[in-house]
Amino acid sequence: MEDATPRWIAAMRDARYDDAWAIERAIMAQRDPATRNDPSLPYHCRWVWDGRSPDGRDVLVRCHHGLGDTIQFARYLPLLASRARSVTVEAPERLHILLRAIADVPLLAFDPARPAPPAALDIEITELPSALRVPPLAVPVPYLSHRPAALPRGTIGLCWQAGGWDRDRWVPEELLLPITRARPCLSLLPGSTALPVLNPDGCALDLSTTAALIAGCPLVVTVDTMVAHLAGAMGRPVWLMLKAEPDWRWNPQALRSDWYPSARLYAQQRAGDWTGVVDRIAHDLPGFFHHGSAENNDGQPAQPLGARLLG
């Protein structure tokens, strides 16, 4: 059987979403229904949705992927709620404060040992674009907001490490010294750092605190991790440091992303070359601040109609 994953990745990166969704449905048609939500697999490796439309049904949205994935696809929850009979979301409890600000739906704490019982239609949150057949640009951004922390004007938020699951997304912190010398900076990571930042002891492991810091920064520079999704969901300018062959959602040949219009992509030109990435960012920083981008983006951005405020 052909592995359709490369074709799907190419379609997603090229914004050929109808093609990507057709590939997904072809894959689904070849699956054995008995393997759906297979308890022998880790939650993030399971397939949950059976391909039926969520329209008019009681839907349980399961958030079995990472925090960043949930934030990325939570943009679809209000639309889903308008089309389904009812929507309940099962997600890690630490995400509930964000999800409440995005959609007015019941929330369940995800306990891997005791998952919620099935509903009329179960779907993993990452499957919502295909189920609803709605591309990312059709969903307004920002879809999340937070009161900004009080920070020195022009502060850059920095995040240079992803989780331990992918050490290729770790940037040696000393490479960021040119950025910290150019502007006041703060760390968006837990734990201490030797970098000359405003918070050398690091950022509290709390999503509301992190969101407040991001809201107060005119620019966030980060690797591909939850911080990137949180900044993008809030419409904050975010410069994304990517490895040469990044995750499917980022096109390494592009400068922008359909998922987050406020993002600018900086992919490695050679595998492992973070120096080149940081050099390009340092080169572009003066233009960002000189041309007023930062002045127009200090603190909380303009709110779209109906936006809710966290905190």
Side-chain angles (χ1 to χ4, degrees):
M1 183 184 300
E2 175 207 7
D3 181 4
T5 303
R7 291 194 294 114
W8 179 83
I9 291 175
M12 290 298 291
R13 286 179 173 175
D14 292 343
R16 293 183 285 110
Y17 300 111
D18 284 333
D19 291 344
W21 298 333
I23 292 169
E24 289 180 35
R25 289 174 186 273
I27 293 172
M28 190 175 300
Q30 296 174 354
R31 289 171 172 161
D32 179 355
T35 66
R36 189 172 74 88
N37 205 17
D38 184 351
S40 70
L41 295 175
Y43 279 97
H44 71 280
C45 294
R46 302 181 190 184
W47 67 281
V48 177
W49 179 45
D50 61 11
R52 290 178 296 155
S53 168
D55 293 358
R57 291 189 165 93
D58 294 316
V59 179
L60 174 62
V61 179
R62 299 188 186 269
C63 303
H64 291 170
H65 285 68
L67 301 182
D69 295 289
T70 299
I71 293 168
Q72 177 182 359
F73 291 97
R75 72 186 68 203
Y76 289 100
L77 291 176
L79 177 59
L80 176 65
S82 73
R83 290 172 50 173
R85 183 174 181 271
S86 70
V87 174
T88 301
V89 177
E90 179 189 45
E93 194 164 13
R94 62 184 299 204
L95 278 170
H96 285 194
I97 188 172
L98 301 184
L99 295 175
R100 287 192 191 99
I102 296 172
D104 185 14
V105 296
L107 300 173
L108 302 176
F110 174 45
D111 180 353
R114 289 180 294 276
L121 182 73
D122 284 13
I123 190 165
E124 224 288 331
I125 196 166
T126 60
E127 299 171 311
L128 289 179
S130 180
L132 298 170
R133 301 192 70 80
V134 174
L137 281 176
V139 182
V141 178
Y143 52 91
L144 184 62
S145 57
H146 201 296
R147 293 187 182 91
L151 300 171
R153 193 167 183 82
T155 297
I156 297 173
L158 296 178
C159 176
W160 57 91
Q161 293 177 2
W165 64 89
D166 188 357
R167 293 298 292 260
D168 288 341
R169 286 193 245 171
W170 285 42
V171 181
E173 65 178 60
E174 61 271 14
L175 294 184
L176 301 177
L177 278 170
I179 298 175
T180 62
R181 290 167 180 157
R183 310 292 306 186
C185 293
L186 60 84
S187 169
L188 295 171
L189 285 167
S192 60
T193 175
L195 287 171
V197 295
L198 300 173
N199 57 339
D201 292 331
C203 175
L205 195 61
D206 173 79
L207 287 178
S208 185
T209 299
T210 304
L213 293 174
I214 289 173
C217 290
L219 177 64
V220 171
V221 176
T222 180
V223 290
D224 177 14
T225 187
M226 183 273 294
V227 166
H229 293 284
L230 186 51
M234 295 168 67
R236 307 303 295 148
V238 53
W239 290 5
L240 190 53
M241 300 181 286
L242 297 170
K243 58 185 185 181
E245 184 54 37
D247 194 75
W248 61 266
R249 69 205 83 203
W250 316 117
N251 183 346
Q253 307 305 318
L255 296 176
R256 300 292 178 182
S257 167
D258 281 2
W259 293 101
Y260 302 114
S262 65
R264 186 185 298 183
L265 310 184
Y266 291 84
Q268 293 175 346
Q269 295 178 338
R270 297 184 308 278
D273 179 22
W274 289 118
T275 299
V277 169
V278 176
D279 285 348
R280 281 151 50 208
I281 289 174
H283 175 271
D284 291 347
L285 278 178
F288 175 82
F289 284 93
H290 178 72
H291 291 111
S293 298
E295 301 305 318
N296 295 331
N297 284 286
D298 270 330
Q300 183 64 38
Q303 294 302 301
L305 185 64
R308 299 176 180 86
L309 200 63
L310 289 175

